[in-house]
Amino acid sequence: MQMSLDLTRVVSQIGAMVSRLKANSRERQEHLDNGLDTLHSQAGNLEALDRKIKASKTTWLVAGLVDGLDGKYEPSPPPADFTVIATDGSHIDVDRHRAARCYLINIGSVVLRYGANPSAVLESTPQLYADEDNLVIAPSGIKGQERTIEGALLGIKRGVDECRRLAELAAEVPASDPVLALIDGTLILWGLDGYPEFVTEELLDNGFLSCLEEMRKLNRERNLALASYISFPRSNDVVNALRVALCPHEIVDSDRYCPECKQRECDAVAGIRDRDLFAGILEPGQRSDVFVSQSSILKRYGTHMVHFFYLRLDEEVARVEVPQWVATDNELLNLAHTLVLDQCRRGQEYPVALSESHEKAVVTGADRENFWELVEATLVEEHLPTPGSAKSKSKRRRWI
């Protein structure tokens, strides 16, 4: 059978791409050296840099300073007994070409207990949503402004469900053990920017942040550190702080000054990412200083304001995000550092608990097709119509 993608026509394009990357490698190394020099020099000028960052007006995210810039912190030994919990999710989206309007969220959850009495509980919890109230988010008392839960919005709702399940697991863990609660990806719900207030209120205030608050309150009776893990991060918040430092203007205003700037002093660190910086100063196992994200959505987070640090592994630098109540508690911060590192060392540089929760959550293409076949078969059994688009039917048949 002939492939629809003709790779022979792509070979030369890939070669050209690789040649460009090779040609840019020397310039990139120069920018990285500039970044490291600036990082170290600004570490002795933190107060002035902090003032400049707080006064700046930029169209790009700049890391807020907390306790330093180029610090290096060793992990503590893991506790004798501890528990790691994690959740991940997949979903089957609403398909307008199918006979029924519905979606499914599958949450994988893992509880791993280490120490004198080790144990493991791995579960998968699928939930079908088909009622009209579950298919839209609507403002209270107002009709005609509802937002359909599908696509990107469904992805955000799935993230809220993952966090809700994590809070449930955290409440079930015995209070005697220190606990690391892990989420895959970011704690920042970027995708809510641009949605109406009632959507943000439902998914963030009453959903995600409510779950974080439940876990924060559990610290009254146990040590529970919440963290999210981002492998091979593309963020450059810290690099952008260096751009602010390099800018000759006392108050950085990117809209006002950048379009007419000819010197472009900040281009000395162009094209590098935070992971590149910290790969140059951290040894395996060490973490960076803690920084705070300044995303606009975080104005709603309160005590759950997202902080982050970078963790050096043997092969990569990961970004670990924690809420403020973890970042400002040295015991919880050290616990997050130590146990995330321990999980990575047990799992080929990626947390074991997240790997296992992903395996329990994943929904394959075959799973999706089987799901829709089950839905349509059940409709037929109940003598209900099974309308579907011609496009959907054509995809399931081969004509040539």
Side-chain angles (χ1 to χ4, degrees), residues 178-322:
V179 181
L180 171 66
L182 267 180
I183 293 175
D184 184 31
T186 182
L187 294 175
I188 306 171
L189 299 192
W190 306 97
L192 284 174
D193 278 341
Y195 281 102
E197 172 67 18
F198 68 88
V199 174
T200 302
E201 183 176 327
E202 174 69 19
L203 292 178
L204 183 61
D205 301 345
N206 300 333
F208 193 74
L209 294 181
S210 177
C211 297
L212 298 191
E213 180 63 15
E214 289 178 27
M215 286 185 272
R216 186 189 69 82
K217 289 179 178 178
L218 289 173
N219 272 299
R220 297 169 182 170
E221 57 188 43
R222 73 193 73 192
N223 280 344
L224 184 148
L226 170 67
S228 71
Y229 186 87
I230 304 172
S231 178
F232 204 64
R234 295 177 55 83
S235 50
N236 51 9
D237 305 44
V238 179
V239 172
N240 286 340
L242 302 184
R243 292 176 65 189
V244 170
L246 290 168
C247 181
H249 296 283
E250 186 174 343
I251 297 178
V252 180
D253 188 332
S254 57
D255 284 338
R256 180 180 178 185
Y257 298 123
C258 291
E260 299 177 359
C261 181
K262 296 190 182 348
Q263 297 298 323
R264 302 292 299 177
E265 287 88 344
C266 65
D267 281 352
V269 295
I272 62 174
R273 303 194 182 277
D274 290 356
R275 65 171 188 256
D276 303 319
L277 279 179
F278 292 105
I281 66 171
L282 299 176
E283 296 296 328
Q286 293 179 335
R287 71 163 176 87
S288 70
D289 281 308
V290 172
F291 303 92
V292 60
S293 175
Q294 300 196 88
S295 169
S296 59
I297 193 72
L298 294 179
K299 294 175 182 177
R300 308 179 75 108
Y301 273 58
T303 189
H304 308 293
M305 176 71 71
V306 175
H307 292 57
F308 62 92
F309 60 83
Y310 289 94
L311 177 63
R312 175 69 188 274
L313 304 169
D314 290 333
E315 300 294 332
E316 73 160 326
V317 174
R319 172 165 161 151
V320 179
E321 296 181 350
V322 295

Side-chain angles (χ1 to χ4, degrees), residues 52-72:
K52 192 173 183 181
I53 289 173
K54 288 177 178 176
S56 66
K57 300 176 182 178
T58 65
T59 54
W60 17 273
L61 278 180
V62 180
L65 305 183
V66 176
D67 52 9
L69 197 58
D70 66 348
K72 299 181 284 188

Side-chain angles (χ1 to χ4, degrees), residues 25 79 90 358 361 371:
S25 61
S90 293
H358 171 77
F371 165 76

Side-chain angles (χ1 to χ4, degrees), residues 23-40:
N24 292 337
S25 61
R26 178 177 296 180
E27 181 183 58
R28 186 175 176 278
Q29 183 59 50
E30 290 177 359
H31 289 181
L32 178 56
D33 292 340
N34 293 335
L36 290 170
D37 290 342
T38 306
L39 186 77
H40 293 310

